[in-house]
Amino acid sequence: MEEGPEPNLPTKTLGLNADLQKKHQAMLDRLSNRHQARLDNSLARRSDSGNSSESTSSFLSRFSDSKQSIDSQLADSRLIAQSDPSRLKSHFANLSSSISDLEILVAENSYFLPSYEVRSSLKTISDLKQNLETLNSELIPKKKFSFKNKATTKKEPIKEPEPLKYDTVSLSNFKMPDSPGFRNKTNETLVKKFKGTDIGEFTLSDLDSCEVRLTGCCNAVFMNRLKNCKVYLGPVIGSILIEEVEGCVFVLASHQIRIHLAKKCDFYLRVRSRPIIEDSNVVRFAPYCLDYEGIEMDLQKAGLSEETGNWANVDDFKWLRAVQSPNWCVLPENERVGKVRVEDFESRIEGS
Amino acid sequence: MGLLSIIRKIKRKEKEMRILMVGLDNSGKTTIVLKINGEDTSVISPTLGFNIKTITYQKYTLNIWDVGGQRTIRSYWRNYFEQTDGLVWVVDSSDLRRLDDCKMELDNLLKEERLSGASLLILANKQDIKGALTPAEIAKVLNLEAMDKTRHWKIVGCSAYTGEGLLEGFDWLVQDVASRIYMLD
Ligand SMILES: Nc1nc2c(ncn2[C@@H]2O[C@H](COP(=O)(O)OP(=O)(O)OP(=O)(O)O)[C@@H](O)[C@H]2O)c(=O)[nH]1
Ligand SMILES: [Mg+2]
């Protein structure tokens, strides 16, 4: 199938009608461009490997060199369009592969780059692509892009009715199974102990002024719409996802923690990876401080026996700059609660 | 003649495929990629930008682009659409509350002309979690049956923890892409 001779190819191709043939040609063009881009990329990668210094500053200088050269080539496009339009297509193809090279450079370095560098590089690349696209559609006569034309004309007529059709079938009519959790409570103390077998996911939602204590390990925890609550959690093996919370205190341990739309909350965390916040403000962080009988074993089971220090390595997805995000800070030591001791069974609160 | 030489070139060299992995944050994309590549999955941070992994799979070289799914950076997904052969949409089958979001983002993605030729693999991930929806249930919620008839798609239940389902999914994807791209043979 793959390695055979290709004697019947020409006839196949010739047998197609004109329209299809055009499409075919466009596809082949794309494929050959892609092939060229790949060659270029692999060349670029090879020359990379000679350079072993992985410092941020050397990345930044390479990045900005490439960016400058792409910028100036982009600026040349109009001149080329006037002087030698036939060159435009390959000019754009080269630009496009230079931008992919830049992208690969970012990807290959992203594991050691500070988060704001990754994001600002992404933004730069996105802008470059946008510029290229704009120039491309502006300077190259439309008929060469039969694919694109078709796309835009196709969009209007069929896109509209779809949402209607979807709405009638979708979530509202689908009966969600009830997942384990605490929901719609006010002023209550909610206690649950996970035992070996019932590891699964657990949900806390629409709680107001409650204290929640979950001991033992579970796989995943979802929290949303909590107000003025205290939440004490034993180690979670997978991830914790928190959305729309205000005025709460969280004591959490997990492999990953994602915090969205949080306001005025304190987080006491132990995390294997970097906690992230998005669309949040006035959130403060401190190390995990929970204690209950058997917590050591649970921590071990979740691979969280050791303090990783990640509680302070918060990435704010809404903050692009090098300076500290104004949305979060480290909770001053004199404002931290001490060790929080939670009794195993349905006992009452003892504060601490 | 020009045509033939291009095709020959493609046939010799093009055993590569470009795979784009997207889905909501927390769905397990990075974990899946590392798992199929046999790497450690015990310390993974939410993806700030994207990762590229080149994996040899059967006789093909897959260039897998794993792009972060946090809301703020979803607008960058479109940077990666061009030249995508296979699209992998990853769903956290235990995150019932955000299935609405998940459906909306997938619907938007499928409107993209630049992705219209890509085969679509939907991975209903985290099947190991008690209470996770089954692939059939996910298919119903996402209303996959209503998809454009020309789209090649498949949904597979999987777990990036146990590895279950991953090979089945990628086998299908690679075969499907191969049969389209290399059908000129
Ligand atoms: N139980 C279980 N947990 C999983 C599985 N796959 C991933 N996880 C966990 O889910 C969380 C999210 O995984 P990631 O791979 O970081 O998710 P992602 O889709 O890359 O997320 P973003 O990079 O933010 O877009 C991690 O804590 C994983 O350990 C699975 O199959 N089962
Ligand atoms: Mg990721």
Side-chain angles (χ1 to χ4, degrees):
Chain A
M1 167 192 145
E2 76 286 5
E3 231 59 287
E6 55 263 83
N8 49 3
L9 262 171
T11 34
K12 246 196 205 165
T13 323
L14 291 172
L16 300 171
N17 65 36
D19 214 32
L20 267 177
Q21 225 163 16
K22 228 194 248 166
K23 271 195 196 175
H24 225 99
Q25 187 55 49
M27 185 187 78
L28 289 171
D29 285 349
R30 274 204 321 218
L31 284 174
S32 78
N33 277 343
R34 186 188 327 189
H35 177 69
Q36 191 52 47
R38 276 172 185 156
L39 282 181
D40 295 345
N41 285 346
S42 60
L43 278 179
R45 246 173 287 169
R46 225 166 292 145
S47 58
D48 274 358
S49 56
N51 177 1
S52 62
S53 105
E54 290 178 338
S55 72
T56 302
S57 66
S58 91
F59 164 80
L60 286 178
S61 76
R62 286 175 67 196
F63 186 88
S64 74
D65 285 353
S66 308
K67 177 181 183 287
Q68 259 175 22
S69 124
I70 292 169
D71 275 337
S72 75
Q73 287 182 65
L74 280 168
D76 286 346
S77 305
R78 280 176 210 286
L79 289 176
I80 295 175
Q82 280 164 11
S83 60
D84 188 3
S86 65
R87 267 181 55 213
L88 264 184
K89 217 174 161 182
S90 68
H91 174 70
F92 284 142
N94 286 339
L95 267 168
S96 162
S97 82
S98 304
I99 297 176
S100 336
D101 286 351
L102 198 57
E103 210 160 38
I104 286 164
L105 180 72
V106 178
E108 284 175 343
N109 290 278
S110 64
Y111 69 94
F112 72 85
L113 285 176
S115 56
Y116 59 87
E117 302 295 3
V118 176
R119 270 167 301 153
S120 56
S121 323
L122 278 181
K123 170 110 181 46
T124 304
I125 289 170
S126 176
D127 293 345
L128 289 173
K129 286 190 172 178
Q130 188 61 51
N131 290 345
L132 177 61
E133 230 169 79
T134 312
L135 281 169
N136 197 336
S137 55
E138 192 183 315
L139 299 177
I140 293 199
K142 275 181 188 165
K143 66 171 197 257
K144 284 191 179 168
F145 283 80
S146 49
F147 271 98
K148 284 213 169 121
N149 280 346
K150 222 180 128 231
T152 45
T153 47
K154 220 171 100 191
K155 240 167 214 156
E156 280 98 38
I158 34 166
K159 290 302 151 176
E160 291 320 318
E162 273 176 31
L164 282 174
K165 199 170 86 196
Y166 280 4
D167 282 345
T168 52
V169 212
S170 90
L171 293 182
S172 41
N173 284 12
F174 183 82
K175 218 181 132 280
M176 287 289 177
D178 252 347
S179 67
F182 295 130
R183 297 177 171 85
N184 304 303
K185 310 269 188 212
T186 308
N187 278 318
E188 285 188 43
T189 298
L190 306 160
V191 179
K192 163 107 185 152
K193 181 176 178 165
F194 298 110
K195 298 186 207 77
T197 49
D198 54 20
I199 285 182
E201 119 276 11
F202 200 84
T203 298
L204 305 177
S205 87
D206 302 282
L207 304 181
D208 189 350
S209 310
C210 291
E211 174 165 325
V212 183
R213 306 185 214 147
L214 305 178
T215 56
C217 283
C218 72
N219 259 322
V221 172
F222 299 102
M223 305 186 206
N224 70 303
R225 290 194 299 273
L226 308 189
K227 232 180 139 179
N228 303 323
C229 292
K230 293 196 162 93
V231 179
Y232 304 120
L233 236 66
V236 176
I237 295 166
S239 63
I240 298 176
L241 181 64
I242 299 172
E243 292 194 338
E244 293 182 67
V245 291
E246 192 176 345
C248 299
V249 174
F250 296 91
V251 181
L252 315 169
S254 181
H255 172 215
Q256 286 187 348
I257 297 179
R258 289 175 174 80
I259 299 163
H260 304 155
L261 300 156
K263 222 166 139 180
K264 296 198 193 104
C265 291
D266 288 345
F267 293 88
Y268 296 80
L269 306 181
R270 182 174 297 173
V271 213
R272 302 260 292 279
S273 59
R274 301 169 70 92
I276 69 109
I277 62 172
E278 189 176 56
D279 303 308
S280 299
N281 56 61
V282 204
V283 290
R284 306 188 297 177
F285 292 84
Y288 194 57
C289 58
L290 192 68
D291 193 20
Y292 59 82
E293 202 184 318
I295 193 171
E296 292 308 330
M297 257 174 60
D298 290 342
L299 285 168
Q300 203 174 344
K301 194 163 148 196
L304 287 159
S305 297
E306 273 162 47
E307 179 53 66
T308 58
N310 273 334
W311 63 268
N313 295 330
V314 180
D315 282 327
D316 182 353
F317 272 63
K318 270 292 161 75
W319 191 247
L320 269 169
R321 277 177 276 157
V323 293
Q324 163 72 32
S325 155
N327 298 320
W328 71 274
C329 67
V330 169
L331 182 56
E333 274 185 51
N334 59 357
E335 289 182 48
R336 294 179 194 170
V337 302
K339 200 102 182 143
V340 178
R341 169 98 195 160
V342 164
E343 294 308 324
D344 251 1
F345 295 96
E346 338 270 303
S347 63
R348 298 259 4 129
I349 329 161
E350 33 128 338
S352 166
Chain B
M1 178 221 100
L3 195 72
L4 256 181
S5 69
I6 289 169
I7 291 168
R8 272 208 205 93
K9 196 156 87 181
I10 292 166
K11 283 184 59 163
R12 244 185 294 116
K13 288 279 185 186
E14 291 260 343
K15 291 298 177 192
E16 289 193 351
M17 293 179 187
R18 178 170 162 128
I19 310 283
L20 176 64
M21 305 255 304
V22 275
L24 300 191
D25 51 296
N26 197 40
S27 54
K29 300 176 291 293
T30 308
T31 314
I32 288 172
V33 176
L34 295 186
K35 180 77 179 179
I36 45 179
N37 204 31
E39 290 177 58
D40 177 31
T41 58
S42 64
V43 184
I44 295 173
S45 288
T47 307
L48 270 164
F50 60 97
N51 306 299
I52 308 174
K53 270 266 139 60
T54 302
I55 294 177
T56 306
Y57 196 89
Q58 297 163 2
K59 53 181 187 269
Y60 302 101
T61 302
L62 312 187
N63 291 315
I64 303 185
W65 294 67
D66 158 30
V67 191
Q70 290 292 142
R71 189 179 296 280
T72 315
I73 55 174
R74 286 180 206 160
S75 57
Y76 294 128
W77 285 357
R78 60 186 180 79
N79 282 359
Y80 306 93
F81 292 166
E82 214 66 63
Q83 304 175 339
T84 292
D85 301 310
L87 182 64
V88 182
W89 180 259
V90 183
V91 182
D92 177 349
S93 314
S94 71
D95 187 357
L96 309 188
R97 194 179 62 83
R98 293 202 302 167
L99 279 173
D100 257 328
D101 239 11
C102 173
K103 174 170 166 39
M104 185 198 69
E105 296 287 0
L106 176 62
D107 289 347
N108 282 339
L109 206 64
L110 296 182
K111 287 180 193 151
E112 257 309 317
E113 183 67 15
R114 286 175 294 166
L115 292 173
S116 61
S119 309
L120 170 65
L121 169 65
I122 294 146
L123 288 177
N125 191 31
K126 307 200 188 181
Q127 290 297 319
D128 60 291
I129 295 186
K130 203 171 135 191
L133 293 189
T134 63
E137 288 167 325
I138 299 275
K140 206 160 148 193
V141 176
L142 298 180
N143 201 18
L144 297 179
E145 290 305 333
M147 200 152 13
D148 186 345
K149 292 289 172 274
T150 60
R151 170 85 62 187
H152 293 201
W153 66 273
K154 184 180 173 75
I155 182 165
V156 174
C158 73
S159 162
Y161 276 16
T162 66
E164 167 219 340
L166 294 180
L167 288 186
E168 182 194 344
F170 276 85
D171 275 346
W172 174 82
L173 186 67
V174 168
Q175 285 319 313
D176 193 75
V177 170
S179 66
R180 281 187 305 105
I181 293 191
Y182 307 117
M183 76 186 166
L184 295 173
D185 289 14

